[in-house]
Amino acid sequence: MPLSAHEREQFLAEPHIAALSVSAGEHRGPLAVPIWYQYHPGGEVWVLTGPGSEKARLIEAAGRFTMMVERVEPTVRYVSVEGAVTRTVPGTDDMMREMAQRYLAPEKVDAYLHFAKAQLGEQVAIYLRPEHWRSADMGSS
């Protein structure tokens, strides 16, 4: 059964690991990778990645991407959202902290940020405006 607009936005706002998918060009299947993301109901989705990463280059070329999040307990539920990129901006320390705090236990955030700064380098935030939604909850009546 499809989720209501409110239910799907609330579910997407939870800290799931997303599967990001973007066209890899003619004669190729889409690139599909796991990624952390941020979303607040009614707003845009944003992700952080290296500016020269394959996903950043493919997203720039396509101008759009898809993300899907799911769970299996207490019911099988998923939300998929696709849309146009609205902007790409330099990632900031505050963005990295916000993302780390979304996914990690408080005592692990500072260590992750130290790792990210040393190993991941410069980041860009890519924003997506949700245009097309798919959702279902297989346990709802």
Side-chain angles (χ1 to χ4, degrees):
M1 163 175 232
L3 301 174
S4 69
H6 175 77
E7 289 171 324
R8 71 186 186 206
E9 288 191 3
Q10 290 300 317
F11 186 72
L12 187 61
E14 295 171 5
H16 303 282
I17 304 296
L20 182 148
S21 182
V22 61
S23 174
E26 194 174 344
H27 307 297
R28 294 279 315 270
L31 172 73
V33 295
I35 195 164
W36 289 356
Y37 69 95
Q38 182 58 284
Y39 174 74
H40 296 287
E44 295 177 308
V45 174
W46 59 271
V47 299
L48 290 170
T49 190
S53 69
E54 182 179 18
K55 60 182 165 288
R57 290 191 315 271
L58 292 174
I59 290 169
E60 182 179 356
R64 58 192 321 105
F65 63 96
T66 300
M67 284 192 359
M68 191 274 300
V69 298
E70 67 178 327
R71 71 164 195 220
V72 295
E73 293 291 335
T75 59
V76 175
R77 177 179 278 198
Y78 79 89
V79 169
S80 176
V81 62
E82 183 262 336
V85 172
T86 59
R87 65 194 179 281
T88 300
V89 300
T92 66
D93 290 346
D94 287 342
M95 289 173 155
M96 288 291 291
R97 179 168 292 282
E98 180 179 344
M99 195 70 76
Q101 288 173 332
R102 176 173 166 82
Y103 286 96
L104 300 174
E107 67 275 9
K108 296 187 180 228
V109 169
D110 287 337
Y112 173 79
L113 292 172
H114 179 72
F115 158 81
K117 194 137 185 118
Q119 300 296 318
L120 302 180
E122 181 183 352
Q123 299 283 293
V124 292
I126 303 172
Y127 288 78
L128 171 142
R129 181 182 62 251
E131 294 173 351
H132 305 284
W133 296 79
R134 291 180 186 266
S135 65
D137 190 322
M138 282 32 143
S140 295
S141 48

